[in-house]
């Protein structure tokens, strides 16, 4: 079994040894230009077009990450890069769900307990207890009800906040109010105090968090973006923060990364930012998933995580 590998930062030798341990019959090689030799599987992150274009005999492609927007963006420019008959798989969790839970729970509890306000008061040497938020009014709304979105929702259940989610298609979720489609977006946003974005990055979701959407949240609402920078119209979010329509934002992803030193997010008093590390790919867990998926494919079964190229996730 021959596997070609491309990742801009991961060590291919580590992956060769890791996959061979899990799949003794596997022979992994790092792809290099002009490598047109046979391969059964391709493991990629932002793969060069020539790595996949016209590659006969490929059984499946695995994106080494939860998102596949980089690959889909390449497909828009090079529609012949991937044979439509070759399935594309993404990592649905592989340890990222727990990391997202940690980030979301920490941040939501900080806002609920007004630690952001107390940090600002500390900078002014101001000793002033503040009134608490009412838990029953501190509604958390999650954009996206995929594996990671539902994982975050489940982690917030024990804290007793009203929970809701919005997705493309209907969901039946225990203890979570579910909304779907454009027709129900207004109802989802009305009364939402904390908005957490975990949507896939598709042409339909680019720029979804704009002035219009922000205005439909509660006054003094909070925004957390854990998905992609392209989902947020940054100028609209800054305006909403400056007017205090949005009381605070926790941002892990940005339109342009790394964030330039002169970007206003760096020094905005109501913004907390992290460098796109809310959840990173855990390589060992990713190898476990890919090895198991290959075993299923070799047995004629269908693994979880196949990407619908028409929907973008």
């Amino acid at each position: 079994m021959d596997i070609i590998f491309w990742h801009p930062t991961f060590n291919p030798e580590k992956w060769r040894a890791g996959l061979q341990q899990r799949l003794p019959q596997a022979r992994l090689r790092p792809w290099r230009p002009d490598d047109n030799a046979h391969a059964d599987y391709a493991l990629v992150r932002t793969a060069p077009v020539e790595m996949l274009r016209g590659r006969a005999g490929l059984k499946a492609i695995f994106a080494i990450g939860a998102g596949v927007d980089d690959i889909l963006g390449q497909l828009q420019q090079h529609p012949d890069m991937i044979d439509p008959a070759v399935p594309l798989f993404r990592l649905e969790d592989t340890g990222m769900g727990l990391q997202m839970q940690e980030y979301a729970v920490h941040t939501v509890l900080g806002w609920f307990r007004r630690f952001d306000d107390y940090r600002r008061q500390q900078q002014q040497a101001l000793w002033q207890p503040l009134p608490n938020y009412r838990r029953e009014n501190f509604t958390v709304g999650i954009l996206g009800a995929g594996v990671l979105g539902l994982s975050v929702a489940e982690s917030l259940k024990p804290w007793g906040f009203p929970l809701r989610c919005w997705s493309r298609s209907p969901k039946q979720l225990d203890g979570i109010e579910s909304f779907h489609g454009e027709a129900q977006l207004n109802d989802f946003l009305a009364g939402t105090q904390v908005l957490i974005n975990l949507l896939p990055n598709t042409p339909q979701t680019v720029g979804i968090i704009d002035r219009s959407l922000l205005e439909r949240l509660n006054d003094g609402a909070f925004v957390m973006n854990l998905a992609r920078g392209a989902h947020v119209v940054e100028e609209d979010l800054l305006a909403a923060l400056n007017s205090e329509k949005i009381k605070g934002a926790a941002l892990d992803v940005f339109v342009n990364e790394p964030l330039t030193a002169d970007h206003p997010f760096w020094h905005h008093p109501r913004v907390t930012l992290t460098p796109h590390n809310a959840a990173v790919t855990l390589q060992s867990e990713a190898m476990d998933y890919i090895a198991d998926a290959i075993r299923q494919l070799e047995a004629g079964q269908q693994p979880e995580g196949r990407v619908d190229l028409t929907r973008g996730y």
Side-chain angles (χ1 to χ4, degrees):
M1 177 190 303
D2 294 303
I3 302 173
I4 49 176
F5 176 92
W6 172 270
H7 193 286
T9 59
F10 288 174
N11 183 351
E13 181 57 30
K14 178 178 179 177
W15 277 73
R16 185 200 63 75
L19 279 179
Q20 196 161 56
Q21 183 180 23
R22 294 163 173 81
L23 293 170
Q25 71 275 33
R27 295 179 298 274
L28 181 144
R29 69 181 187 271
W31 179 84
R32 304 186 190 286
D34 300 325
D35 177 354
N36 297 312
H38 172 77
D40 297 289
Y41 299 98
L43 315 184
V44 301
R45 188 67 179 174
T46 317
V49 173
E50 58 270 26
M51 176 181 178
L52 301 174
R53 177 190 278 155
R55 186 169 287 280
L58 207 57
K59 298 178 183 178
I61 300 166
F62 290 91
I64 309 175
V68 292
D69 40 300
D70 56 339
I71 295 175
L72 297 180
Q74 291 172 298
L75 269 175
Q76 288 183 345
Q77 299 182 38
H78 308 279
D80 60 340
M81 184 177 82
I82 296 176
D83 183 339
V86 178
L88 172 65
F89 294 90
R90 63 184 176 91
L91 307 180
E92 288 198 320
D93 189 337
T94 61
M96 287 182 276
L98 179 59
Q99 296 174 74
M100 289 290 191
Q101 290 177 5
E102 294 164 348
Y103 195 111
V105 170
H106 166 84
T107 306
V108 171
L109 291 180
W111 285 331
F112 178 65
R113 292 297 307 274
R114 304 196 66 170
F115 294 151
D116 55 330
D117 290 316
Y118 288 122
R119 277 192 296 272
R120 283 190 284 272
Q121 288 189 177
Q122 178 182 347
Q123 293 167 1
Q124 303 169 54
L126 179 61
W127 183 283
Q128 178 62 58
L130 299 170
N132 295 328
Y133 288 112
R134 296 178 62 86
R135 192 178 302 269
E136 62 269 25
N137 296 332
F138 209 77
T139 299
V140 179
I142 301 171
L143 284 171
V147 171
L148 296 179
L150 295 182
S151 175
V152 165
E154 288 294 326
S155 73
L156 288 166
K157 278 185 178 180
W159 300 99
F161 303 117
L163 297 173
R164 56 177 61 170
C165 72
W166 181 82
S167 55
R168 175 182 175 180
S169 55
K171 306 284 184 183
Q172 296 294 324
L173 305 169
D174 183 37
I176 303 169
E177 191 177 8
S178 179
F179 300 83
H180 70 278
E182 186 64 32
Q184 294 186 11
L185 182 58
N186 278 341
D187 292 336
F188 164 80
L189 295 170
T192 292
Q193 186 65 30
V194 176
L195 182 73
I196 302 176
N197 178 40
L198 280 163
L199 287 168
N201 186 16
T202 70
Q204 292 73 35
T205 63
V206 168
I208 189 171
I209 302 177
D210 61 2
R211 177 181 176 182
S212 171
L213 182 145
L214 295 168
E215 287 179 345
R216 288 176 277 173
L217 296 170
N218 277 358
D219 289 343
F222 300 91
V223 173
M224 187 187 316
N225 189 15
L226 304 179
R228 287 290 186 267
H231 290 134
V232 174
V233 179
E234 293 181 348
E235 296 80 5
D236 291 357
L237 178 57
L238 280 165
L241 286 162
N242 290 335
S243 71
E244 298 188 23
K245 167 65 181 181
I246 299 302
K247 187 169 183 289
L251 308 174
D252 184 59
V253 288
F254 306 90
V255 172
N256 295 306
E257 297 180 1
L259 203 61
T260 58
D262 61 348
H263 199 289
F265 281 153
W266 280 114
H267 303 292
H268 198 289
R270 298 183 181 276
V271 172
T272 300
L273 61 83
T274 46
H276 201 147
N277 67 342
V280 299
T281 300
L282 301 179
Q283 297 187 53
S284 181
E285 286 82 348
M287 291 181 208
D288 288 341
Y289 161 74
I290 291 171
D292 186 58
I294 288 175
R295 280 191 288 267
Q296 291 182 58
L297 289 167
E298 292 292 306
Q301 301 167 0
Q302 187 65 231
E304 296 291 327
R306 182 167 182 175
V307 175
D308 182 335
L309 296 180
T310 62
R311 292 195 306 179
Y313 57 93

